[in-house]
Amino acid sequence: MAAAKRALPWLASLRPISSAAAGSFPKQVKIVEVGPRDGLQNEKNIVPTQVKISLINMLSETGLPVIEATSFVSPKWVPQMADHTEVLQGIQKFPGVSYPVLTPNLKGFQAALAAGAKEVSIFGAASELFTKKNINCSIEESLQKFSEVMHAARASSIPVRGYVSCVLGCPYEGKIAPAKVAEVSKKMYSMGCYEISLGDTIGVGTPGSMKEMLSAVMKEVPLGALAVHCHDTYGQALANTLVALQMGVSVVDSSVAGLGGCPYAQGASGNVATEDLVYMLHGLGIHTGVDLPKLMEAGVFICKVLNRKTSSKVAQASCRL
Amino acid sequence: MGTVPSALKHCLSYQHLLKEQLWIGEPAAPPSPHAGEEFQISGLPEYVKIVEVGPRDGLQNEKVTVPTDIKIELINRLSKAGLSVIEATSFVSSKWVPQMADHTEVMRRIERHPGVRYPVLTPNLQGFHSAIAAGATEVSVFGAASESFSKMNINCSIEESIEKFEEVTKSARNMNIPVRGYVSCALGCPYEGNIIPAKVANVSKQLYSMGCYEISLGDTIGVGTPGSMKKMLEAVMKEIPLSALAVHCHDTYGQALANILTAIQIHQGGIFISVMGVGVVDSAVAGLGGCPYAKGATGNVATEDVIYMLNGLGINTGVNLYKVMEAGNFICTALNKKTNSKVAQASFSV
């Protein structure tokens, strides 16, 4: 080929012969199940503590490696998560499964630690307006709060996962520059977060904007430390996740039964359904360790209790309920 | 994600973002040329033709039989949305498909917009003649990659069905009527399960050789995933030029958009890569049409959601998304049902 390129200079600009679709996929994907926290927090009905515990226990049996259990936020702001201590202490902790909890500040972190948490998460955003409206401070100020949590976490050897919201669009600012997402991600990673989950909070992203955003972030944070958290509000979640996988991302957040609506569009859906994600990954020959039938059972259970239809298409197609 | 006071639900900026995203046939600004050059989503077509199958495939698979006037109104609204192909009806015996019994009236009474084509299904020569008499100027024939499906659906083997279609294409050629060929069960069959790509390629080739100008490959039960889509297309592309291929994905398992994305990224191999991606996608307004094989499950992918994705990718479709959403709203109101389009769900609620 080298000799040919010298003889025919124009050959060098040609792409190699291939009939394959762009990119290859990771062999394994780690699924971070956010149903019990992100999902239930955004459901209309408040779920009894015992039901939450049962749900998490059922999910633990499916082979999911990470299950976000609850949130140590003041019940004044998030009444659905008021029972955080009881939930964390009541669930069965399966070996090999992580149960991270949200801790927006030092106070929450300390409460989480006291309740037995072994991993925590902090929530940043790529939008100034969103941060102001959501937690009443600027991005810079929020990062300072987080650094307090990081400090305490490091002292207790607790791993911290960082979330960046609004990576593909903000309900207040509209378009978000990929460079901004990269900047916030870099700061959170440098602070000590072991993983950064990039969230399309209002689900407006499409494969093009996902690719553009990831390209920018990958310049600042190693690929192995990145996760995508796609919302299916506009039906784009799996297509967006596919693009992320093609670029080498191997950690994906999802929610059983697609629990959790969208607080910004009444009646619209939010999180992508874990069942649908697993279906796609298994179809691609990607290993997840998840038992899909067991997962669907957990979905059926929680939908019954919540008296709602599942948002998972796989569940809809498979169940006769 | 964090707390959200309810007062923030209606925010001007958000409305603005929606308007930017959903804009009228104009794609969102394509990715900047300097961003991540090494990871450009390679080889996307510049233009994708959308074949709107809602009035036929969609309505045929809805539980309620739709009054003729409503069908005509739906088609007329879709004609104004910039769609270039709208499958209008099916010239099948009303004994088998009562929902399409009014085919002649529909065909005669719809507004025929210049630049828009209105293909109709014609399973056999008799149907073809009725279609022509009613004013049809394009027809479609429906094959399958599965023997069992062919037997259960049209009561004959694949080979026998090909013979029937040949009668249609022969007559069509004599009258200069273009014929589109469909291949069902391209990624799986409700009776046989897995379908081998070579079989899909074989049936596609037969339809193409007999004169079908385009072959629409249908994931009839929506079981396909990007991996099986890719394998199937690679096999079919050995027999048929990429430019003559379309994909018809069902969203029964939520995989449709991911499968479509895979199809539009596929390359035709060769020293010079001349054709990028499948350039024709079938879809149904509001995701009309359930799945006859999985009760309560969905079927066709929603046109609105497909356009949203293509717009976001900077791909031109010529279609006004907002007008399609309005047509979707119209038919869902008439059918007293919720839309299956997520874009519509998210947009009409704000």
Side-chain angles (χ1 to χ4, degrees):
Chain A
M1 191 62 187
K5 278 186 182 166
R6 279 197 295 276
L8 302 159
W10 45 267
L11 249 189
S13 61
L14 293 178
R15 274 172 281 164
I17 298 167
S18 166
S19 63
S24 59
F25 297 101
K27 292 203 165 61
Q28 319 205 105
V29 162
K30 175 175 84 175
I31 296 188
V32 174
E33 171 60 47
V34 301
R37 202 285 307 167
D38 192 0
L40 294 184
Q41 179 171 317
N42 286 299
E43 285 288 325
K44 278 178 258 135
N45 301 323
I46 292 191
V47 172
T49 307
Q50 192 44 56
V51 168
K52 284 179 182 148
I53 290 171
S54 297
L55 173 64
I56 294 170
N57 289 345
M58 286 181 83
L59 291 169
S60 293
E61 305 222 9
T62 63
L64 284 160
V66 186
I67 302 168
E68 197 179 61
T70 186
S71 179
F72 282 79
V73 164
S74 158
K76 231 189 334 173
W77 296 115
V78 187
Q80 303 92 319
M81 298 284 129
D83 55 1
H84 39 64
T85 302
E86 222 186 316
V87 168
L88 193 54
Q89 286 176 342
I91 55 175
Q92 275 174 282
K93 307 257 181 47
F94 279 57
V97 184
S98 264
Y99 301 91
V101 300
L102 241 74
T103 52
N105 48 38
L106 192 57
K107 186 165 160 213
F109 174 78
Q110 282 156 351
L113 198 60
K118 297 271 185 300
E119 179 173 330
V120 302
S121 315
I122 54 177
F123 254 84
S127 153
E128 283 292 355
L129 264 178
F130 186 85
T131 306
K132 259 240 145 52
K133 301 276 201 186
N134 228 29
I135 53 178
N136 203 23
C137 61
S138 70
I139 295 183
E140 195 60 46
E141 287 163 340
S142 74
L143 290 175
Q144 278 165 21
K145 283 195 191 146
F146 297 150
S147 68
E148 295 176 356
V149 174
M150 299 302 312
H151 218 82
R154 200 174 302 123
S156 312
S157 294
I158 300 277
V160 182
R161 187 186 211 227
Y163 283 87
V164 181
S165 306
C166 299
V167 300
L168 297 178
C170 168
Y172 312 109
E173 284 185 20
K175 283 201 162 75
I176 295 291
K180 187 71 186 177
V181 182
E183 184 197 320
V184 176
S185 304
K186 179 183 188 173
K187 288 192 171 145
M188 292 178 75
Y189 184 69
S190 311
M191 247 192 252
C193 292
Y194 75 91
E195 195 167 86
I196 305 295
S197 172
L198 304 162
D200 181 12
T201 306
I202 45 173
V204 289
T206 53
S209 57
M210 169 63 84
K211 174 204 67 66
E212 200 186 4
M213 182 274 297
L214 279 178
S215 302
V217 176
M218 274 160 53
K219 292 193 170 99
E220 309 290 351
V221 180
L223 191 49
L226 291 179
V228 290
H229 183 116
C230 298
H231 275 200
D232 204 38
T233 317
Y234 291 82
Q236 309 296 305
L238 283 189
N240 292 344
T241 301
L242 187 68
V243 164
L245 294 172
Q246 284 176 318
M247 293 175 75
V249 170
S250 62
V251 185
V252 181
D253 301 357
S254 60
S255 173
V256 61
L259 288 179
C262 179
Y264 306 96
Q266 205 193 43
S269 60
N271 289 304
V272 67
T274 308
E275 297 92 317
D276 300 359
L277 171 67
V278 169
Y279 186 91
M280 181 174 83
L281 295 176
H282 287 185
L284 278 163
I286 294 173
H287 182 253
T288 64
V290 177
D291 181 327
L292 184 50
K294 281 205 174 132
L295 178 64
M296 278 171 31
E297 277 175 38
V300 167
F301 164 74
I302 192 63
C303 286
K304 240 201 193 115
V305 171
L306 286 172
N307 194 26
R308 61 160 271 174
K309 276 185 73 181
T310 181
S311 292
S312 155
K313 291 245 164 133
V314 170
Q316 270 174 43
S318 317
C319 298
R320 297 284 171 260
L321 293 169
Chain B
M1 308 252 168
T3 50
V4 184
S6 56
L8 297 172
K9 278 182 189 169
H10 302 284
C11 175
L12 282 173
S13 294
Y14 181 47
Q15 302 273 10
H16 219 256
L17 174 68
L18 276 188
K19 292 208 168 105
E20 272 182 73
Q21 291 279 347
L22 301 184
W23 214 226
I24 301 178
E26 280 167 53
S32 104
H34 302 298
E37 273 139 334
E38 64 276 19
F39 283 119
Q40 289 297 324
I41 295 189
S42 34
L44 285 177
E46 275 175 20
Y47 170 80
V48 163
K49 177 177 79 175
I50 300 216
V51 173
E52 171 59 47
V53 301
R56 202 284 307 167
D57 192 1
L59 294 185
Q60 178 171 321
N61 285 299
E62 285 290 328
K63 281 181 249 129
V64 184
T65 294
V66 177
T68 306
D69 284 346
I70 305 269
K71 283 179 187 157
I72 290 167
E73 176 65 25
L74 174 64
I75 294 170
N76 290 345
R77 284 179 187 235
L78 291 169
S79 291
K80 297 182 178 127
L83 290 156
S84 58
V85 186
I86 302 169
E87 196 179 61
T89 186
S90 178
F91 283 79
V92 165
S93 158
S94 47
K95 233 193 330 177
W96 298 116
V97 186
Q99 304 93 317
M100 296 283 129
D102 55 2
H103 40 64
T104 301
E105 204 186 335
V106 168
M107 204 61 218
R108 290 222 175 108
R109 288 179 51 203
I110 51 174
E111 286 166 12
R112 305 283 280 262
H113 286 236
V116 186
R117 289 148 50 193
Y118 303 90
V120 299
L121 244 73
T122 53
N124 50 40
L125 199 55
Q126 191 191 11
F128 175 77
H129 288 314
S130 304
I132 298 302
T137 48
E138 180 172 331
V139 302
S140 315
V141 294
F142 251 85
S146 153
E147 284 292 354
S148 314
F149 188 85
S150 200
K151 273 235 148 56
M152 298 292 257
N153 225 32
I154 53 179
N155 204 21
C156 60
S157 69
I158 295 182
E159 197 171 330
E160 287 164 341
S161 73
I162 296 284
E163 281 166 22
K164 286 198 187 141
F165 301 149
E166 267 169 342
E167 292 179 357
V168 174
T169 53
K170 216 166 142 202
S171 292
R173 198 177 308 123
N174 289 340
M175 301 176 71
N176 278 331
I177 299 278
V179 183
R180 188 188 209 225
Y182 283 86
V183 180
S184 306
C185 298
L187 297 178
C189 169
Y191 312 109
E192 286 182 19
N194 268 339
I195 295 291
I196 56 171
K199 187 74 185 176
V200 183
N202 179 284
V203 176
S204 303
K205 182 180 187 175
Q206 290 186 69
L207 288 173
Y208 187 68
S209 307
M210 74 169 77
C212 292
Y213 74 91
E214 194 168 88
I215 306 297
S216 172
L217 304 162
D219 182 12
T220 306
I221 46 172
V223 290
T225 53
S228 59
M229 169 64 84
K230 177 167 170 285
K231 286 202 180 87
M232 183 275 293
L233 283 175
E234 283 172 345
V236 176
M237 270 160 38
K238 291 194 173 101
E239 309 290 349
I240 297 180
L242 190 48
S243 53
L245 292 180
V247 289
H248 183 115
C249 297
H250 276 200
D251 204 36
T252 317
Y253 291 81
Q255 309 295 306
L257 284 188
N259 291 343
I260 290 169
L261 181 64
T262 300
I264 65 178
Q265 284 182 264
I266 207 129
H267 294 177
Q268 183 134 43
I271 299 280
F272 297 101
I273 298 178
S274 52
V275 186
M276 305 300 189
V278 168
V280 185
V281 176
D282 299 359
S283 59
V285 60
L288 287 177
C291 179
Y293 306 96
K295 204 169 99 145
T298 56
N300 288 303
V301 68
T303 303
E304 298 93 316
D305 299 0
V306 173
I307 293 176
Y308 186 92
M309 180 174 80
L310 297 177
N311 279 358
L313 281 164
I315 294 173
N316 187 30
T317 61
V319 183
N320 181 327
L321 174 53
Y322 200 71
K323 290 207 168 129
V324 175
M325 274 166 46
E326 283 182 319
N329 194 31
F330 162 76
I331 192 64
C332 288
T333 304
L335 289 174
N336 193 27
K337 64 165 272 177
K338 276 183 74 180
T339 181
N340 282 326
S341 156
K342 290 244 165 135
V343 171
Q345 273 171 37
S347 312
F348 283 124
S349 63
V350 177

